[in-house]
Amino acid sequence: MRSTRLLAVGLALVIVASGCASGPSLKDAAAELQKDTQRLETDDVFKNPLMNLRIVQRPDTDLPCGEDKVKRVLRATADEERIDESLDSRLDKAQRVMENTLSRILGYKVEYDISQVDDPEGRFIYGSKEVGVVVNVYVAPEAPTWRLHAQTACLPR
């Protein structure tokens, strides 16, 4: 009987502890976004000075987003040298480069959107990480080629 009670109490503690830690934490999400910044800056493609990578906003400041919650934001731009090729080919290539960078280098789960194929206005890329970080990239027909915006979810401090 006593062992059954101890087992029940232990099981309840495990359930409560796992419920408290079930969502992403600001600390983990912010650390992941910091790593993304470093990975982007050291990536073979984007560290090339010709890509003109510019970190517009570093994810080192808490930004309020209501109800005593905050988020962290990374904004960056990069540009690709224009070569003599069609707009569609250039956008396709730039989209593939960023999708590969997001998924292989930065570890995002990228959502592939077939409806954007051949869109001359540009392409949008969306990705996410389980730690509570999302990324949106606009692949533009004009400079800068890539406009990246990644942020954590709104989380308690």
Side-chain angles (χ1 to χ4, degrees), residues 31-147:
E32 187 65 25
L33 207 49
Q34 290 282 4
K35 287 179 194 173
D36 288 348
T37 306
Q38 293 167 349
R39 290 178 190 129
L40 192 60
E41 291 175 314
T42 58
D43 178 52
D44 287 340
V45 172
F46 290 98
K47 73 179 180 183
N48 180 339
L50 296 175
M51 290 301 230
N52 197 25
L53 175 66
R54 185 171 156 240
I55 304 298
V56 178
Q57 182 175 359
R58 291 192 174 275
D60 52 9
T61 304
D62 290 344
L63 302 172
C65 55
E67 298 180 22
D68 296 326
K69 293 183 179 182
V70 295
K71 64 181 176 180
R72 297 282 181 97
V73 175
L74 163 63
R75 290 186 320 121
T77 62
D79 197 31
E80 174 177 61
E81 183 181 354
R82 306 288 187 251
I83 57 175
D84 189 23
E85 64 183 333
S86 72
L87 175 62
D88 185 52
S89 293
R90 184 165 31 93
L91 287 172
D92 285 348
K93 185 176 91 177
Q95 181 179 355
R96 281 191 308 273
V97 166
M98 184 54 69
E99 286 172 343
N100 285 334
T101 299
L102 290 175
S103 63
R104 292 184 179 159
I105 306 300
L106 302 180
Y108 284 88
K109 180 180 178 192
V110 175
E111 300 172 22
Y112 296 96
D113 183 0
I114 193 92
S115 70
Q116 299 184 80
V117 173
D118 300 330
D119 189 346
E121 301 296 317
R123 317 288 165 78
F124 291 93
I125 304 169
Y126 305 99
S128 61
K129 292 184 177 185
E130 287 185 14
V131 72
V133 178
V134 295
V135 66
N136 302 303
V137 179
Y138 175 55
V139 182
E142 71 282 337
T145 305
W146 297 282
R147 299 157 194 193

